[in-house]
Amino acid sequence: MDINFACIIRRCIVNRLSDRIQSRKYPLLVGYIAIAISTFFFLFGRSPAIIVIARVFQGLSGAIVGVLSFAIVADTASPEKRGQYMAFLSASFTWGMIMGPVLGGLLFDNFGIYGAFVVPISLLVCDIILRSLMIEKRNHDSEVCGQDQAEEAPLLSTQGSTGNELHLRNFVDTRFIAAIVTETTISSILSAFESTLPLFTMETYDWSSTNSGLLFLGISLPSLLSIPMAKYCRSWDRRRTVAIELILAFFPLSALRLVEMPSSSHQVSFVAFVTCVGLFMTTSQAQVMAEVSDAVRQIEAKEGIDSRKKSGMGTGYAFCNVAIALGQFLGPIVAGYARLGLGWGGMTLILGGISGFVGLVSLFVNV
């Protein structure tokens, strides 16, 4: 994902508009329409100018959908189920990024360029129809609460004026910043792996591109465990759990420096270590998504904001989206320079050190 000022500006505009408009539904529909326009240009574009326009619409749609999808889940889910719903959403993003290139390549090989676009176009049509029929629970809750206004008015008045809204300065909050830094760290490590693992396996183990690609299943499959973890481990302290996972990730990340021989035992150990890294990274990422919403709700309560009227969730997940983009930008750069200067062992040790350090700091901050 590109990380530049235009990317950040798009997300800031989207989050401010989505928080001011009392509906997530219609901005999200605009995002899906932008995806449809982008897909149309990619399918029929035959010049560089058309491809650039398609990329612009793709970036716009990514900013809208990436921010609002998490905000809608946060608005809809109850606090006890928020972690589980975020785990579903995080896993769906992970598997979408995996299955997209695989399915697209298979369709292109068998049916050509037009056949490759059949699935995305079909999914877009279904998405637009379903989003048109979507009923926003947040608005419905407001109507229900309006019936009991006499009972709730004293409670709301003790927290402050509900006509206020959150400003960017309100997000300078220890809990929120810790979640954003953690998300950037996780995204950086996963992106670093995406850029270095295929080259390492081809050079060291003489693996084919297919085998190297299948290795990413070891990173992605553990993401499915985040769903039962979020469901059955609600009593755990989410922030402390994520911090411990980052600390534990130091060990398999550092151990990857010990498998640089092309022997069978080293290859088996390599796959096991990569799977452990995937387990700690993907399951903690799902919990961080839920932690962002909890942090925003805490900020709203502290500032006396009625989340049914002036929610700051869009802004919160815009920051989260930028953190992911920043990680995807920094991860390959750090990993690339580290491997060129220090070799594979030095690179994995640095990644492990970053994970362990952020985990330790987060653990003490969240005590």
Side-chain angles (χ1 to χ4, degrees):
M1 184 183 297
D2 298 331
I3 175 66
N4 47 43
F5 289 111
C7 175
I8 296 176
I9 290 172
R10 284 199 302 267
R11 284 163 173 77
C12 291
I13 293 174
V14 169
N15 77 64
R16 296 307 292 174
L17 288 177
S18 67
D19 283 341
R20 289 177 181 273
I21 299 173
Q22 295 301 308
S23 173
R24 310 278 192 205
K25 174 180 177 179
Y26 298 107
L28 189 63
L29 276 173
V30 172
Y32 279 107
I33 292 173
I35 296 178
I37 294 173
S38 173
T39 303
F40 176 84
F41 283 147
F42 274 125
L43 178 57
F44 296 104
R46 296 294 182 269
S47 68
I50 297 297
I51 300 301
V52 169
I53 294 174
R55 187 66 182 89
V56 170
F57 277 100
Q58 187 183 54
L60 175 64
S61 63
I64 296 175
V65 176
V67 171
L68 295 186
S69 56
F70 285 102
I72 287 174
V73 172
D75 288 335
T76 304
S78 59
E80 62 271 11
K81 291 187 177 181
R82 192 170 295 147
Q84 184 181 356
Y85 289 178
M86 288 297 176
F88 273 106
L89 189 56
S90 181
S92 69
F93 268 83
T94 300
W95 282 96
M97 288 187 291
I98 293 174
M99 295 306 299
V102 175
L103 187 58
L106 291 174
L107 290 173
F108 180 79
D109 289 339
N110 291 279
F111 303 103
I113 185 171
Y114 294 105
F117 278 84
V118 168
V119 172
I121 290 174
S122 301
L123 291 175
L124 277 173
V125 172
C126 292
D127 272 327
I128 292 174
I129 294 174
L130 291 174
R131 297 308 173 271
S132 301
L133 300 175
M134 182 177 70
I135 299 175
E136 294 187 86
K137 183 178 179 181
R138 186 161 59 103
N139 292 340
H140 176 68
D141 287 345
S142 298
E143 295 175 3
V144 174
C145 291
Q147 299 173 1
D148 302 323
Q149 187 176 5
E151 297 180 9
E152 293 192 4
L155 295 176
L156 294 176
S157 62
T158 61
Q159 295 180 350
S161 175
T162 59
N164 297 333
E165 63 181 30
L166 291 180
H167 301 283
L168 294 180
R169 65 177 179 271
N170 299 128
F171 290 89
V172 183
D173 174 83
T174 302
R175 181 178 183 181
F176 182 77
I177 292 175
I180 295 301
V181 171
T182 302
E183 182 58 58
T184 304
T185 302
I186 295 172
S187 178
S188 298
I189 293 174
L190 291 175
S191 300
F193 266 26
E194 289 177 5
S195 61
T196 57
L197 280 183
L199 292 175
F200 174 78
T201 55
M202 291 179 187
E203 295 173 357
T204 306
Y205 304 141
D206 197 26
W207 285 8
S208 65
S209 57
T210 301
N211 291 335
S212 298
L214 290 174
L215 180 64
F216 286 98
L217 290 176
I219 298 177
S220 305
L221 277 175
S223 66
L224 298 176
L225 294 177
S226 61
I227 299 172
M229 281 181 62
K231 180 178 181 180
Y232 297 109
C233 304
R234 291 197 299 266
S235 59
W236 295 0
D237 187 309
R238 183 180 292 128
R239 289 174 287 174
R240 187 170 298 177
T241 301
V242 172
I244 291 174
E245 285 192 284
L246 289 180
I247 294 171
L248 292 177
F250 166 80
F251 299 101
L253 280 168
S254 303
L256 283 170
R257 64 199 306 269
L258 306 175
V259 292
E260 294 189 75
M261 299 295 292
S263 63
S264 299
S265 60
H266 276 217
Q267 294 182 48
V268 172
S269 299
F270 175 78
V271 173
F273 292 146
V274 168
T275 303
C276 288
V277 173
L279 172 65
F280 293 132
M281 291 293 110
T282 57
T283 55
S284 60
Q285 187 173 46
Q287 298 305 309
V288 173
M289 295 297 184
E291 173 62 16
V292 169
S293 66
D294 290 344
V296 173
R297 290 292 183 234
Q298 182 175 318
I299 294 172
E300 290 173 345
K302 183 170 62 177
E303 299 297 328
I305 305 296
D306 184 357
S307 62
R308 297 188 302 271
K309 297 179 180 179
K310 295 289 184 179
S311 173
M313 203 61 69
T315 304
Y317 278 106
F319 277 113
C320 185
N321 206 265
V322 171
I324 294 174
L326 182 62
Q328 291 174 335
F329 172 72
L330 292 176
I333 291 179
V334 172
Y337 278 108
R339 192 183 179 195
L340 286 175
L342 303 173
W344 171 259
M347 184 204 77
T348 57
L349 190 60
I350 288 176
L351 294 179
I354 292 173
S355 179
F357 175 76
V358 173
L360 285 172
V361 173
S362 180
L363 189 63
F364 286 112
V365 167
N366 295 320
V367 170

